[in-house]
Amino acid sequence: FELGIIRNHYVGRTFIEPTQKVRELGVKLKHSANRSVVEGKRVVLVDDSIVRGTTSFKIVKMMREAGAREVHFRISSPPITHPDYYGIDMARLEEFCVFRAAIQLLKERKMSDIIEQTYEACKAELLKPKEEQINPVRAIYKPFTTEELNEKIVEMLRPEGMTTPIQLVFQSIEGLHEAIPNHKGDWYFTGHYPTPGGTKLCNQSFVNY
């Protein structure tokens, strides 16, 4: 866990730790802002990803209480839109804040038919052999730009009554590929699974939702 002040900007960085005990200490530190450092400042938070958004909500609340003038999230990964089945047990779509944001936008814009169409499409795919299945879940995100999803996530992260400006910026898929040209896959962000089993489980995950 590193803390630093760069040109009057407060910067916090956290990394995956080798043990749960060390991770818990990092989270505790991250949730203990020094008011003398934060108050009146533009706070820039750099993280590898936002998955559920629960930790981010706590951080926003904590930064507000410490007197931050603005809160900016810089996320080094693109938005996580699809479940992962290759070592990380994240199988429930509704756990992803980006998915919840997309669903909420579809409902607000009277586009709920896309949700129903995707459900029927996923059910139809599950009747096929897994080697022949495609991923209809991508249709949930297709109507929206990353900026629109960002705005909805910020709205979801903002504690009630908070007026402190919040900005959220994700890495782009293109930027990710440029940074990691020999990557092993981007299904977490694109839904292009490397195995038929991944596609099948994604379809099942939407049906379960």
Side-chain angles (χ1 to χ4, degrees):
F1 184 79
E2 268 184 62
L3 292 179
I5 301 176
I6 303 175
R7 295 182 181 177
N8 294 322
H9 288 60
Y10 170 89
V11 181
R13 296 194 295 168
T14 59
F15 299 92
I16 295 174
E17 300 292 352
T19 68
Q20 182 64 20
K21 184 176 181 180
V22 176
R23 182 178 181 277
E24 288 174 356
L25 175 60
V27 171
K28 183 178 179 181
L29 289 171
K30 187 162 63 174
H31 289 178
S32 302
N34 187 327
R35 188 176 185 90
S36 65
V37 173
V38 173
E39 189 169 18
K41 300 292 197 311
R42 176 184 293 118
V43 179
V44 180
L45 299 160
V46 181
D47 208 344
D48 62 345
S49 62
I50 292 181
V51 184
R52 298 177 180 87
T54 50
T55 299
S56 301
F57 179 89
K58 293 176 182 176
I59 292 174
V60 168
K61 186 173 183 293
M62 178 263 292
M63 288 297 172
R64 177 194 63 172
E65 291 171 350
R69 176 167 54 89
E70 298 177 18
V71 179
H72 293 250
F73 283 95
R74 297 292 182 267
I75 310 302
S76 62
S77 77
I80 294 173
T81 58
H82 288 79
D84 184 54
Y85 307 99
Y86 307 95
I88 303 175
D89 184 19
M90 290 294 293
R92 291 164 53 86
L93 275 164
E94 57 266 37
E95 292 186 346
F96 302 152
C97 66
V98 181
F99 179 79
R100 297 198 305 273
I103 292 293
Q104 193 165 331
L105 283 170
L106 288 172
K107 292 179 178 179
E108 290 174 356
R109 299 185 185 184
K110 311 301 181 184
M111 300 167 70
S112 295
D113 57 314
I114 292 177
I115 303 172
E116 184 63 29
Q117 290 166 9
T118 302
Y119 172 64
E120 295 298 335
C122 286
K123 286 200 301 181
E125 290 300 316
L126 289 169
L127 296 176
K128 303 176 184 178
K130 64 181 180 181
E131 292 78 13
E132 298 177 13
Q133 291 185 32
I134 63 172
N135 176 12
V137 178
R138 290 196 295 271
I140 294 295
Y141 304 100
K142 189 175 181 179
F144 311 116
T145 65
T146 300
E147 289 72 25
E148 289 175 307
L149 291 169
N150 286 354
E151 289 178 7
K152 178 54 64 175
I153 293 169
V154 166
E155 181 182 314
M156 293 160 55
L157 291 177
R158 185 182 298 279
E160 185 176 356
M162 178 178 174
T163 58
T164 303
I166 304 173
Q167 184 187 66
L168 174 62
V169 178
F170 283 99
Q171 171 69 282
S172 66
I173 291 292
E174 295 76 18
L176 179 71
H177 290 170
E178 183 178 351
I180 312 175
N182 299 316
H183 66 89
K184 301 299 183 181
D186 58 11
W187 62 89
Y188 217 26
F189 318 112
T190 65
H192 296 295
Y193 287 92
T195 67
T199 303
K200 177 182 178 180
L201 287 170
C202 181
N203 290 330
Q204 187 63 60
S205 181
F206 191 86
V207 169
N208 292 345
Y209 161 75

